[in-house]
Amino acid sequence: MSKKGWGIGAIVVAAGLIVSPTIIGSQTESSLREHVELFDQEQPGYTLEVVSYERNWFSSQVVVKLGIDLPKLLADPEAEVLTTDIELSIQHGPILTDQGFSMGLAAWQAENSGKGLETYVQWDQSQPFYLQQGSVSLLGNAVYQDYIPRLQSTDAIPEFDFTLTEYRGDGSYSSGSFAYQGNYEQLSFNVAEEFAVELNAMAMNVDAQADLKTMIVGKYYPSTATFTIGQMRVESAAEELFLLSHLVSDITLKESEDGRLAHIHMGYRAEQVFVGGTEATDLRLLTAVNNIDRGFVDDYFETMKDFVGEEDPQVLEQQMTAMMERHKEALLMAQPEFAIGDFGFRMPEGELDGSMRVALAELEQVPAQLDEQFIQQNMVASARVAIDKPLAERLAKTYVLSMLEASGQTELDPAQLEQMATQQATMVLQNFVQQGLLKIENEQYLLDAEVAQGLLNLNGQSLPLGQMM
């Protein structure tokens, strides 16, 4: 290339570097104002407005005011409305230097000073109450980190004090895919000096397939969220009341390939639970609600916004009834299903394990009135529970003992109550076996049931469902 060509190229590049920040700054302001306005319109109980926007060539300084309508969110007219300012500093690309040298569209830093919270919370005020830093690449992909310092309550909160270690999180966004993870090391609090609670190793991970506008509006979108607690301990002055180890909670939102149906899966697992002198391990509960009409789901999300802060439960009940009627046909024709894919636990006496499913059979049409006969003829269900005999006997005895104590059997001493509970528990289990509700196999009590076409098959015995009901 000739020197003249190199010169022209250099001029073009220089002009681009000079002009680009102005263009990027203008586009950034338009996008920020659009999203702030959308949040303000779509999030009930919250307000958000741009208080000031000073845009310069290479950077912008912005103040956004967030309002939290506690009277509405808590349905408490005596609560106060909280407001706080978020100060936002934005650097315009394509050359970014605020967080290290890089190329990108923009970089930002958002701070909240925590002004007004000092009465209730203590923290190192050389740091902001909340800090977020992030950047957007030339391809439009974003990454960010956020931080909250260690917090501690003040004496302004009577009979309650807490300490919360610092919070760190980081997120990313790329081509409609959002990911975020954050964690606290420890939360501890005391209530009226009566009991103390400590939670350790708390973390969350979120993955979503949605753009920012969809998330702000609050629509249904495919996502997975996982929350974990390493350990939770509850103690009184005299004893340990409750201990939970390694709790994992998963929530997954899915949709069918054509987008017409939604599926919601929720799972809970814990390695160990200790309560009231009793220990259980390998606790699990995995649930799923499948084949929900998306029209109903979208209507539900939108309707719930209108009733944030509604104090009259009858109003909400009426709206829910009307909404169910609007979507009745689509809901039932989709063959909705509720399933517990796995539930159970282990104790020293043995293990309990089970699963169940309830669904509707395929329908040709939905009748005007849904009566008991319709449900019996079109319900499809199954359930299986297996419990080791020693564990079943212990659980039955514990249940009977609680009933005896609740009935006021105060004239009996603990030994007599124990003996009576053991005898009655044995009788209860024997009666269940004689009635066919349970069967004994390989030192286990089993329940095996299926429902289809109006018939119930219970442990190998078939009878009309109406007769059983």
Side-chain angles (χ1 to χ4, degrees):
M1 181 182 290
S2 67
K3 292 183 178 180
K4 181 178 180 181
W6 281 109
I8 293 174
I11 292 172
V12 171
V13 171
L17 293 175
I18 293 172
V19 175
S20 293
T22 301
I23 298 173
I24 292 172
S26 176
Q27 293 175 338
T28 300
E29 179 176 358
S30 297
S31 178
L32 189 146
R33 289 185 180 276
E34 179 184 2
H35 285 86
V36 166
E37 182 179 358
L38 184 65
F39 183 96
D40 186 66
Q41 293 174 348
E42 297 290 343
Q43 289 296 317
Y46 297 90
T47 60
L48 195 65
E49 65 171 319
V50 177
V51 177
S52 65
Y53 203 117
E54 182 182 339
R55 175 157 56 89
N56 300 310
W57 198 336
F58 293 105
S59 65
S60 297
Q61 302 298 320
V62 190
V63 177
V64 178
K65 184 179 292 292
L66 172 66
I68 306 174
D69 190 349
L70 292 182
K72 184 173 185 177
L73 292 172
L74 303 178
D76 180 3
E78 296 185 2
E80 61 178 317
V81 176
L82 302 180
T83 61
T84 187
D85 288 343
I86 301 170
E87 298 181 355
L88 187 61
S89 175
I90 305 172
Q91 184 182 22
H92 312 152
I95 298 177
L96 305 175
T97 59
D98 279 359
Q99 301 163 36
F101 183 85
S102 64
M103 300 292 290
L105 295 177
W108 76 86
Q109 176 169 298
E111 293 186 16
N112 176 253
S113 67
K115 183 179 179 181
L117 297 177
E118 305 93 335
T119 304
Y120 307 99
V121 183
Q122 304 176 60
W123 73 94
D124 179 2
Q125 294 195 18
S126 66
Q127 305 180 74
F129 182 80
Y130 175 79
L131 174 66
Q132 182 186 110
Q133 293 179 324
S135 62
V136 182
S137 71
L138 294 174
L139 297 178
N141 301 325
V143 294
Y144 70 93
Q145 303 80 40
D146 54 357
Y147 174 79
I148 299 174
R150 181 179 182 274
L151 304 177
Q152 187 172 350
S153 60
T154 69
D155 295 337
I157 306 177
E159 298 188 338
F160 179 85
D161 64 85
F162 74 88
T163 300
L164 184 62
T165 58
E166 64 183 14
Y167 172 84
R168 296 183 182 274
D170 61 83
S172 63
Y173 178 81
S174 175
S175 303
S177 178
F178 170 80
Y180 181 80
Q181 71 86 29
N183 63 84
Y184 282 110
E185 284 300 320
Q186 186 181 72
L187 166 64
S188 59
F189 60 88
N190 297 278
V191 180
E193 298 184 355
E194 294 184 4
F195 63 89
V197 180
E198 183 178 295
L199 294 89
N200 296 306
M202 299 172 290
M204 68 173 177
N205 287 271
V206 179
D207 290 284
Q209 302 299 314
D211 57 28
L212 183 56
K213 289 183 178 180
T214 299
M215 289 188 279
I216 289 175
V217 170
K219 292 183 177 180
Y220 179 96
Y221 51 85
S223 62
T224 298
T226 301
F227 303 90
T228 61
I229 298 176
Q231 187 178 80
M232 178 179 178
R233 185 187 302 272
V234 181
E235 298 176 329
S236 69
E239 61 179 329
E240 183 175 77
L241 302 176
F242 178 83
L243 176 67
L244 178 148
S245 298
H246 199 65
L247 172 68
V248 179
S249 173
D250 297 302
I251 303 174
T252 301
L253 308 182
K254 300 180 179 181
E255 61 182 19
S256 59
E257 291 185 5
D258 58 9
R260 292 178 51 251
L261 301 177
H263 316 291
I264 303 173
H265 297 177
M266 300 179 67
Y268 303 89
R269 295 182 180 274
E271 287 186 358
Q272 178 194 43
V273 171
F274 179 87
V275 58
T278 300
E279 180 185 15
T281 60
D282 188 26
L283 292 93
R284 59 205 184 274
L285 175 64
L286 309 179
T287 68
V289 181
N290 295 318
N291 305 332
I292 314 170
D293 175 61
R294 274 296 302 272
F296 169 79
V297 173
D298 293 339
D299 194 359
Y300 174 83
F301 274 68
E302 199 63 34
T303 299
M304 288 302 98
K305 290 182 186 179
D306 297 333
F307 288 92
V308 172
E310 174 60 56
E311 298 184 46
D312 188 349
Q314 291 187 347
V315 174
L316 181 58
E317 181 181 348
Q318 291 169 359
Q319 289 297 320
M320 288 294 295
T321 301
M323 184 167 55
M324 293 291 290
E325 189 63 29
R326 287 196 300 271
H327 298 277
K328 179 178 70 176
E329 182 173 359
L331 277 170
L332 299 182
M333 293 296 287
Q335 296 179 262
E337 171 192 71
F338 172 73
I340 301 179
D342 181 29
F343 67 90
F345 56 88
R346 289 192 181 96
M347 294 179 69
E349 293 81 2
E351 182 177 1
L352 181 149
D353 181 78
S355 62
M356 64 161 289
R357 172 182 178 267
V358 179
L360 277 182
E362 185 176 0
L363 303 175
E364 294 183 0
Q365 63 180 12
V366 176
Q369 298 294 328
L370 304 181
D371 53 20
E372 184 176 322
Q373 183 179 0
F374 170 82
I375 296 174
Q376 291 180 19
Q377 292 298 319
N378 294 282
M379 182 174 68
V380 179
S382 62
R384 185 181 186 279
V385 179
I387 179 170
D388 294 338
K389 289 183 67 176
L391 178 57
E393 291 163 0
R394 173 176 177 171
L395 295 178
K397 186 175 75 172
T398 301
Y399 172 76
V400 172
L401 187 61
S402 67
M403 293 297 99
L404 291 174
E405 292 175 343
S407 65
Q409 300 281 355
T410 55
E411 70 278 3
L412 300 177
D413 61 36
Q416 291 175 315
L417 278 174
E418 181 81 9
Q419 183 180 10
M420 183 180 294
T422 300
Q423 294 172 346
Q424 293 192 18
T426 301
M427 293 174 56
V428 167
L429 292 172
Q430 289 175 348
N431 286 338
F432 284 166
V433 172
Q434 292 172 0
Q435 294 169 11
L437 297 175
L438 294 175
K439 65 179 179 180
I440 300 176
E441 186 176 297
N442 298 326
E443 295 302 308
Q444 287 185 318
Y445 286 104
L446 299 179
L447 183 149
D448 196 346
E450 290 187 358
V451 173
Q453 297 180 338
L455 293 177
L456 168 65
N457 187 307
L458 179 61
N459 298 323
Q461 301 180 34
S462 182
L463 65 159
L465 181 60
Q467 178 181 337
M468 181 64 187
M469 296 176 66

